[in-house]
Amino acid sequence: MSDKNSSNAMWGGRFASGPDAIMESINASIDFDKRIAVQDIAGSIAHSAMLAKQNIITETDAEAIKEGLLIILSEIENGTFEYSKALEDIHMNIESRLKEIIGEPAGRLHTGRSRNDQVATDFKLWTRDQYDAIIEGLSELMKALINQADEGAEIVMPGFTHLQVAQPVTWGHHMMAYVEMFARDRSRFSDARARMNESPLGAAALAGTGFPIDRHDTAHALGFSAPSANSLDAVSDRDFALEFLSASSICATHLSRFAEELVIWSSAQFKFVTLSDKFSTGSSIMPQKKNPDAAELIRAKVGRITGSLVGLLMVMKGLPLAYSKDMQEDKEQVFDASDSLMLALAAMTGMVSDMKPNIASLESAASSGFSTATDLADWLVRDLGMPFREAHHITGALVAKAEEKGCDLPDLSLKEMQKVNEKINVDVFNFLGVQNSVASRQSYGGTAPKQVRMQIARWREVLS
């Protein structure tokens, strides 16, 4: 029997002739949805076992179906399974092959379900696996950042606003900022995973089925928390894919922000960090170059991932209930975004694990740009009892004087400071060094090494 005739046979007697080449090409999804083959087989095994328990099919047929599906799974894993575009999708490819292996019992597998709930179930199972993989990937990245923070809890560096030196911070504090950021990503994926964990299987085409199926049984067998409560919603819902893409887009944005800093920090102008050769490349013409290509490519991934989110949002925005063929366009977006995000996470984890902070450059930069001006204003308020606005004005005048002399605030003499305000005394010098500055930031969540180590300990416990 030809592929075209096989396709017609699967559809029954409704169509007298097969689709022409253009329709076959636009209708077929096997080139990409074969990625959910393992999930399709798992769903079918659970479904057939439930049908037998409910006496809808015989135990003998259910066992034959299971054995046939396991043979197909082995063929797929061994690379010997032959995919047919004429059979449209992975579901029809597997069912057709099952019929070749076990004959008539294969036709009983589809009792009490539709391709609508079948594909929704398979896609949910696949996406759930990706949620788990990304949560694990984020955990590994957070651990790498925590290790960097631990080793650099007392290394001072400039903190920036508007990319201008603002106040001294510690390397550990900066690394832990990204731990918090990626922790929110991890939480988003976890929350979305819990929300999506309802089984569509048994919703059938849109209205449920007249067969006495047990949807709680199949939901339990597939690791879902419960069956979906409305059959119309079950087959038309793609929120789980949209939430996956949304969380992925936010996560990719965070990765891109960090990648941007690594690109800047590794430049000859900054020299804040040295990236390993494993995550850098050379130039074809300039022998001195060491390019942070891995960071740049991570930075680019956010466009691709966010594009997938926008693409699927546009597919779903005007669809009436329940299933429309438009929804065949859901998977490629999620597949591509998942591949891109997993690669970006692995690359960033690798870079973070073996990058080296350049302590001398960081400390030198931390002392530049009058970074301790706020400490001086705080001292005037705290020790001399000045209103903050007056302290702010005096500090500004001292900054102007230091700028005029071409020196930093700690390099001004006490006599020069007292010309601006006679109340200033020698104790001021205890608060102007960058080390003194970071040590004083003891508020919860502050940059002081003691506070950083508290956060490190907290996150090590969470991730353990």
Side-chain angles (χ1 to χ4, degrees):
M1 185 182 287
S2 71
D3 278 345
K4 186 169 285 189
N5 288 335
S6 294
S7 181
N8 291 339
M10 297 304 290
W11 283 109
R14 172 64 180 86
F15 297 96
S17 60
D20 63 23
I22 295 173
M23 183 59 193
E24 184 176 280
S25 293
I26 197 172
N27 197 44
S29 58
I30 186 60
D31 288 343
F32 56 85
D33 68 15
K34 60 187 177 184
R35 289 186 66 164
I36 59 174
V38 172
Q39 289 76 22
D40 189 74
I41 289 170
S44 290
I45 289 174
H47 184 68
S48 62
M50 178 275 295
L51 292 176
K53 287 179 188 176
Q54 297 299 107
N55 296 315
I56 298 169
I57 66 173
T58 66
E59 291 283 355
T60 301
D61 283 348
E63 190 57 37
I65 289 168
K66 180 179 179 179
E67 289 178 6
L69 289 170
L70 291 175
I71 290 171
I72 294 169
L73 178 60
S74 178
E75 292 174 348
I76 290 170
E77 290 175 341
N78 294 333
T80 59
F81 187 87
E82 294 184 11
Y83 298 98
S84 167
K85 198 163 189 173
L87 290 168
E88 295 184 17
D89 57 29
I90 189 60
H91 323 291
M92 301 300 265
N93 269 262
I94 288 175
E95 190 172 333
S96 177
R97 177 63 179 138
L98 184 64
K99 186 174 181 181
E100 290 176 358
I101 295 172
I102 69 171
E104 182 190 15
R108 304 187 191 282
L109 172 59
H110 212 51
T111 308
R113 74 175 184 185
S114 161
R115 273 203 303 181
N116 293 354
D117 63 325
Q118 183 181 2
V119 68
T121 302
D122 297 352
F123 192 23
K124 268 198 171 186
L125 289 171
W126 188 92
T127 305
R128 191 177 68 186
D129 289 342
Q130 305 318 299
Y131 274 111
D132 292 339
I134 288 170
I135 290 167
E136 179 61 28
L138 282 164
S139 297
E140 292 304 309
L141 175 55
M142 291 167 66
K143 290 174 185 176
L145 286 162
I146 289 167
N147 289 338
Q148 279 285 349
D150 210 359
E151 293 172 12
E154 298 192 28
I155 298 172
V156 293
M157 65 176 289
F160 298 92
T161 60
H162 309 280
L163 206 56
Q164 305 292 316
V165 173
Q167 291 178 281
V169 295
T170 55
W171 175 263
H173 193 55
H174 202 109
M175 294 299 106
M176 291 306 292
Y178 280 104
V179 170
E180 295 292 336
M181 199 178 288
F182 292 122
R184 291 193 297 274
D185 290 322
R186 188 169 170 264
S187 176
R188 264 184 287 274
F189 281 107
S190 296
D191 289 347
R193 187 200 187 283
R195 192 160 34 252
M196 62 88 72
N197 202 33
E198 294 182 347
S199 173
L201 192 56
L206 76 163
T209 177
F211 291 97
I213 63 171
D214 184 348
R215 294 189 60 212
H216 288 85
D217 179 89
T218 50
H220 176 76
L222 294 170
F224 289 107
S225 56
S228 53
N230 184 285
S231 59
L232 272 169
D233 178 59
V235 297
S236 60
D237 166 41
R238 291 298 182 273
D239 287 4
F240 65 92
L242 289 169
E243 284 201 80
F244 179 86
L245 291 173
S246 177
S248 295
S249 297
I250 297 171
C251 182
T253 299
H254 293 158
L255 287 167
S256 181
R257 292 181 69 180
F258 193 19
E260 171 73 0
E261 293 205 311
L262 293 180
V263 170
I264 293 171
W265 290 355
S266 63
S267 68
Q269 290 72 27
F270 274 73
K271 298 180 181 176
F272 281 5
V273 67
T274 300
L275 301 177
S276 75
D277 292 346
K278 289 189 294 185
F279 295 98
S280 307
T281 63
S283 166
S284 62
I285 191 172
M286 296 170 283
Q288 83 282 9
K289 294 290 292 298
K290 182 177 179 181
N291 300 323
D293 281 10
E296 291 172 354
L297 289 167
I298 290 170
R299 188 174 58 186
K301 290 294 185 187
V302 66
R304 187 164 178 164
I305 293 169
T306 304
S308 294
L309 170 61
V310 174
L312 186 54
L313 282 168
M314 292 305 99
V315 168
M316 298 302 297
K317 74 176 184 64
L319 296 187
L321 297 179
Y323 181 83
S324 299
K325 194 69 170 182
D326 312 51
M327 291 163 70
Q328 185 167 289
E329 294 293 315
D330 56 1
K331 294 168 201 63
E332 286 180 286
Q333 317 277 11
V334 175
F335 293 162
D336 186 77
S338 179
D339 291 346
S340 294
L341 185 57
M342 287 298 296
L343 184 58
L345 283 170
M348 185 61 83
T349 302
M351 277 194 296
V352 169
S353 295
D354 57 16
M355 69 182 183
K356 301 295 181 188
N358 297 326
I359 298 173
S361 295
L362 289 166
E363 289 187 347
S364 175
S367 302
S368 68
F370 310 106
S371 64
T372 57
T374 305
D375 296 274
L376 173 56
D378 288 347
W379 179 79
L380 293 170
V381 171
R382 187 175 55 248
D383 285 39
L384 302 187
M386 290 183 186
F388 183 80
R389 286 302 171 199
E390 183 184 350
H392 187 280
H393 177 77
I394 291 170
T395 301
L398 290 169
V399 167
K401 184 176 283 288
E403 210 165 29
E404 186 182 318
K405 281 193 67 178
C407 68
D408 204 353
L409 283 171
D411 301 317
L412 290 173
S413 68
L414 179 60
K415 189 174 181 179
E416 288 170 318
M417 290 187 185
Q418 287 176 335
K419 284 181 181 179
V420 174
N421 187 283
E422 61 183 16
K423 294 181 180 178
I424 297 173
N425 59 56
V426 71
D427 290 344
V428 70
F429 294 104
N430 294 327
F431 295 90
L432 288 180
V434 292
Q435 295 288 354
N436 293 331
S437 174
V438 297
S440 72
R441 304 293 173 181
Q442 292 283 355
S443 57
Y444 182 81
T447 194
K450 182 179 179 181
Q451 284 294 323
V452 171
R453 289 203 166 94
M454 282 175 57
Q455 297 302 328
I456 289 169
R458 177 174 71 88
W459 275 113
R460 286 202 190 281
E461 185 175 351
V462 169
L463 294 173
S464 65

